[in-house]
């Protein structure tokens, strides 16, 4: 192999790792279906469902992604779908192109029977499971087959619980330059310089008003009542200087107030925008429980009754 081919091959092999490094975890949820199963008689009757959201901001809240369970040719088939995400508008780069927002999912599956864990061997769980699962534009469902089921569990009967864990990754946070470890803030200490500048501007305006009042007082009570030009001229100059001070103080004070108001508004607007994005894409939600009722559709054997549980660590 030529020497130049070695670094090229290394870069090509490292590219998927570099791409994956741009994907950060943003949400994690567990979707559970419970059903009464009788494998011998090929029966599976849905009973209820639960959604547990461990992390994820409001933009990553999700519905029940685990669609249904079925027995087909002695295999247990799990159907699920991935959430449809609406990515925000990302600012264009220097070459006037919009960066692409990518989503990827890690999918794992656990089972229990009457509360006792079932442990299918990994090679018998085939289909859309593992890392790097990406959404499909066609909207077709994803499926996982638990094969070799009859050989391992001839008489599988009881309450079966299937828990699908969905871990969501995206490069969205990188593109938004967002750090979920540090919430945006605009506290009193950060606002204090704006308050001090506003106080200084207001103080100059008040000082200018006092100077104007003093100027008018000197002009009306001293200069206007003077009996000689020699005495009147210094009083006129004094009143005129204070009037000039009024113009300077009020002009400078007004300019400071205006600039401070503009800067404060821009800083507040940026804070509100950053806080909105942080609340959407970073997890900060209290515990919530949502009841859920799903009615049967078409020829399906029955609906589902359960609740949704959402919490954060």
């Amino acid at each position: 192999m030529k020497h130049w081919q070695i670094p090229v091959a290394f870069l090509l092999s490292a590219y998927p790792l570099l791409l994956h490094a741009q994907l950060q975890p943003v949400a994690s949820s567990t979707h559970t279906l419970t059903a009464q199963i009788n494998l011998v008689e090929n029966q599976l009757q849905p009973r209820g469902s639960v959604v547990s959201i461990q992390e994820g901001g409001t933009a990553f809240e999700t519905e029940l992604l685990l669609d249904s369970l079925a027995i087909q040719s002695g295999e247990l088939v799990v159907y699920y779908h991935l959430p449809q995400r609406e990515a925000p508008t990302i600012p264009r780069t220097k070459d006037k192109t919009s960066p692409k927002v990518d989503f990827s999912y890690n999918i794992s599956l656990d089972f229990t029977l009457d509360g006792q864990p079932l442990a299918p061997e990994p090679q018998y769980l085939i289909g859309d499971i593992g890392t790097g699962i990406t959404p499909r534009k066609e909207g077709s469902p994803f499926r996982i087959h638990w094969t070799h089921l009859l050989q391992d569990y001839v008489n599988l009967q009881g309450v079966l619980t299937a828990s699908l864990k969905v871990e969501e990754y995206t490069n969205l946070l990188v593109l938004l330059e967002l750090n979920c470890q540090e919430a945006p803030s605009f506290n009193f200490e950060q606002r204090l310089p704006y308050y001090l500048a506003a106080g200084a501007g207001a103080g100059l305006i008040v000082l200018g008003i006092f100077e104007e009042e003093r100027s008018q007082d000197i002009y009306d009570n001293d200069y206007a009542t003077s009996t000689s030009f020699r005495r009147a001229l210094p009083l006129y100059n004094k009143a005129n200087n204070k009037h000039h001070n009024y113009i300077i103080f009020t002009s400078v004070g007004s300019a400071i107030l205006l600039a401070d108001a503009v800067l404060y508004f821009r800083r507040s607007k940026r804070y509100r925008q950053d806080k909105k994005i942080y609340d959407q894409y970073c997890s900060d939600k209290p515990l919530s429980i949502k009841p859920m009722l799903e009615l049967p559709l078409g020829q399906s054997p029955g609906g589902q009754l359960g609740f949704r549980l959402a919490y954060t660590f």
Side-chain angles (χ1 to χ4, degrees), residues 95-218:
D95 58 358
K96 297 182 179 180
T97 59
S98 296
K100 181 183 177 182
V101 179
D102 294 317
F103 289 93
S104 178
Y105 298 85
N106 292 353
I107 304 297
S108 58
L109 190 59
D110 293 317
F111 296 96
T112 64
L113 182 68
D114 294 330
Q116 299 300 317
L118 295 176
E121 296 185 29
Q123 68 268 24
Y124 295 144
L125 290 179
I126 61 175
D128 302 308
I129 189 171
T131 62
I133 307 297
T134 56
R136 295 172 179 169
K137 295 181 179 180
E138 300 80 6
S140 56
F142 296 83
R143 66 182 67 187
I144 301 172
H145 289 255
W146 183 359
T147 63
H148 211 263
L149 187 59
L150 282 173
Q151 292 85 336
D152 293 338
Y153 301 95
V154 178
N155 187 21
L156 192 63
Q157 182 176 354
V159 178
L160 177 70
T161 300
S163 298
L164 184 81
K165 185 174 182 180
V166 180
E167 297 175 324
E168 186 166 2
Y169 292 76
T170 181
N171 62 342
L172 181 59
L173 301 185
V174 175
L175 299 178
L176 292 175
E177 299 180 354
L178 180 63
N179 180 12
C180 286
Q181 304 302 320
E182 183 178 354
S185 64
F186 193 31
N187 54 35
F188 177 78
E189 292 183 358
Q190 295 169 315
R191 298 172 191 260
L192 184 58
Y194 298 97
Y195 296 155
L196 294 177
L204 286 174
I205 293 176
V206 171
L207 182 60
I209 293 175
F210 285 151
E211 287 288 280
E212 179 67 8
E213 291 180 351
R214 182 58 180 155
S215 171
Q216 194 65 40
D217 180 66
I218 295 173

Side-chain angles (χ1 to χ4, degrees), residues 30-35 46-52 64-67 161-162 290-294 303-309:
T30 301
H31 308 259
T32 303
L33 283 182
T34 303
R47 296 184 59 176
S49 60
V50 176
V51 178
S52 170
L64 181 66
L65 300 180
L66 188 50
D67 298 324
T161 300
K290 302 177 182 179
M292 181 182 65
L293 173 64
E294 295 185 2
Q304 297 179 13
L305 176 64
F307 61 90
R308 297 185 179 186
L309 173 65

Side-chain angles (χ1 to χ4, degrees), residues 232-246:
L233 183 59
L235 293 173
Y236 175 82
N237 290 336
K238 184 177 181 181
N240 192 44
N241 288 337
K242 289 189 174 295
H243 177 69
H244 288 160
N245 289 341
Y246 158 75

